[in-house]
Amino acid sequence: MSNLASVRECQWLLRNLGFDRERCNERSALVLLALLGLKPGDPWAESKERSWRTVDIMGWIRDYWDVDYKPNTRETIRRQTLHQFVQAHLVIENPDEPTRPVNSPKWCYQVTTQALALIRSHRTPEFKHRLRRYRAERPGLQAAYMQERDLLKIPVTLPQGAEIDLTAGGQNTLLKAMVEEFCPRFTPGGSVLYIGDAGDKWLVFEKEVLELLGVAIDDHGKMPDLVVHMEDRNWIVLLEAVSTHGPVDSKRHIELKEVFGTCTAGLVFVSCFPDQATMKKHLTDISWETEVWTSDHPTHLVHFNGERFLGPYGD
């Protein structure tokens, strides 16, 4: 069977699985074929269960299906095909490590066991019966999967009393400590205006309050991980979680001043580390006139020079 015929058959399969037109196009069909480890002419019964990163999927499509997706299409494949495959429980994310950070280069996808069994039966007398049963059971599978993912989330209580859930893994354990340990001690009475969750950059975003303070944020703004407003002192405290990225170094200091350059409140910069050992690795990078906090010694701050301790500086 030719490449084109194989792709069209996979598109037919996706339509019968209930996907919309966008998820039944050539790109989506090739992504599924790659996830199954199928080459042109391979029978459906040889579909494999394996975990692959987006870059691996693109490499398989290039090597075996003669379609070379450019590196800048990786996000399209992830957002316009894989994301919907996951939502429909055709595919699961990180079966080997569910708490893997969203920005990890090891983030991977795998066809679910239930979907794989159905696909392997394609072109057999059992397929129609299995398809009906799969489509009837899929809502329950999706709900169970989402429940599993929810159990892994990190609950956080904001200073204002509201509760949110952070995506499990990555720097979010440190981010929880920043909100629940740093804020009550060093920004008492402050309001959280922004939290950049690993899975949702705009998880908390008080856009109107920031605009009243003279700050206009666009979708491409290089936001810190946590923004706290101390109304009584007219301060904006900008906190960076340093478990996966670097601290507020000279470059980052300048970037944040540019993003918040029109702010009518004074700016305070804080680098937050999970422990002192991690902090020591970055000591030579930390910018002057900033603060440092470690969650293993939550009652202390380290001050990097300047005429005042924990306070904004004028230009």
Side-chain angles (χ1 to χ4, degrees):
M1 188 161 50
S2 68
N3 288 16
L4 181 59
S6 296
V7 171
R8 285 180 174 172
E9 187 167 350
C10 191
Q11 289 176 287
W12 176 89
L13 182 61
L14 286 168
R15 284 194 294 272
N16 279 270
L17 288 173
F19 285 101
D20 61 5
R21 184 174 180 178
E22 177 75 10
R23 260 49 63 181
C24 296
N25 60 17
E26 178 185 272
R27 180 194 66 238
S28 295
L30 288 170
V31 168
L32 179 56
L33 289 165
L35 280 168
L36 296 168
L38 295 178
K39 301 185 292 294
D42 285 349
W44 294 99
E46 292 185 6
S47 297
K48 302 167 186 65
E49 185 177 45
R50 61 184 184 180
S51 301
W52 266 18
R53 302 171 300 158
T54 308
V55 66
D56 300 322
I57 294 169
M58 295 169 68
W60 185 272
I61 293 171
R62 180 191 63 245
D63 294 343
Y64 294 104
W65 294 92
D66 297 324
V67 178
D68 188 11
Y69 289 113
K70 302 304 178 186
N72 61 2
T73 62
R74 184 186 308 176
E75 192 68 5
T76 300
I77 290 172
R78 190 179 71 83
R79 288 183 176 274
Q80 300 301 325
T81 294
L82 288 167
H83 180 72
Q84 289 77 13
F85 281 2
V86 170
Q87 285 184 323
H89 201 68
L90 175 65
V91 168
I92 58 173
E93 299 165 309
N94 303 304
D96 58 327
E97 189 179 335
T99 59
R100 180 170 286 136
V102 174
N103 56 1
S104 170
K106 296 182 180 180
W107 190 273
C108 60
Y109 303 88
Q110 180 178 299
V111 175
T112 64
T113 301
Q114 296 84 357
L116 186 66
L118 171 66
I119 292 169
R120 283 174 174 168
S121 73
H122 184 39
R123 287 182 167 268
T124 72
E126 299 178 0
F127 177 73
K128 287 186 178 180
H129 170 69
R130 288 192 174 210
L131 177 62
R132 285 194 298 270
R133 188 173 66 184
Y134 175 83
R135 293 193 64 168
E137 293 176 350
R138 185 166 63 181
L141 294 172
Q142 288 176 252
Y145 174 66
M146 291 307 298
Q147 186 176 26
E148 290 173 8
R149 300 298 296 184
D150 288 342
L151 288 173
L152 295 170
K153 290 186 175 180
I154 303 171
V156 175
T157 302
L158 301 181
Q160 302 96 307
E163 294 186 353
I164 61 171
D165 290 320
L166 298 177
T167 306
Q171 67 186 26
N172 282 348
T173 301
L174 174 57
L175 191 54
K176 174 182 173 68
M178 290 159 59
V179 173
E180 296 184 345
E181 300 289 341
F182 177 93
C183 288
R185 290 182 171 93
F186 299 105
T187 60
S191 301
V192 172
L193 302 186
Y194 173 83
I195 291 180
D197 175 44
D200 182 358
K201 181 180 178 182
W202 308 101
L203 179 62
V204 174
F205 181 36
E206 300 293 342
K207 183 179 180 181
E208 293 181 359
V209 177
L210 283 165
E211 288 178 346
L212 287 172
L213 292 167
V215 183
I217 304 294
D218 60 40
D219 291 344
H220 304 289
K222 297 181 179 180
M223 295 291 287
D225 296 299
L226 178 63
V227 177
V228 181
H229 180 215
M230 298 184 70
E231 187 174 2
D232 58 337
R233 297 192 181 189
N234 195 30
W235 291 0
I236 289 286
V237 184
L238 310 176
L239 300 99
E240 291 276 38
V242 192
S243 55
T244 54
H245 301 293
V248 181
D249 57 14
S250 298
K251 177 177 178 293
R252 186 62 172 141
H253 202 183
I254 293 170
E255 287 176 348
L256 290 174
K257 281 186 174 181
E258 290 176 350
V259 174
F260 290 86
T262 57
C263 185
T264 57
L267 303 180
V268 180
F269 305 87
V270 185
S271 298
C272 300
F273 297 88
D275 49 57
Q276 288 188 340
T278 305
M279 177 188 71
K280 290 176 182 177
K281 297 176 183 178
H282 296 275
L283 280 177
T284 58
D285 300 323
I286 297 168
S287 176
W288 298 115
E289 301 181 355
T290 66
E291 317 299 328
V292 172
W293 179 80
T294 64
S295 65
D296 61 341
H297 290 81
T299 60
H300 298 279
L301 278 180
V302 179
H303 177 59
F304 270 68
N305 202 11
E307 63 191 31
R308 61 178 57 85
F309 181 77
L310 188 61
Y313 289 80
D315 294 331

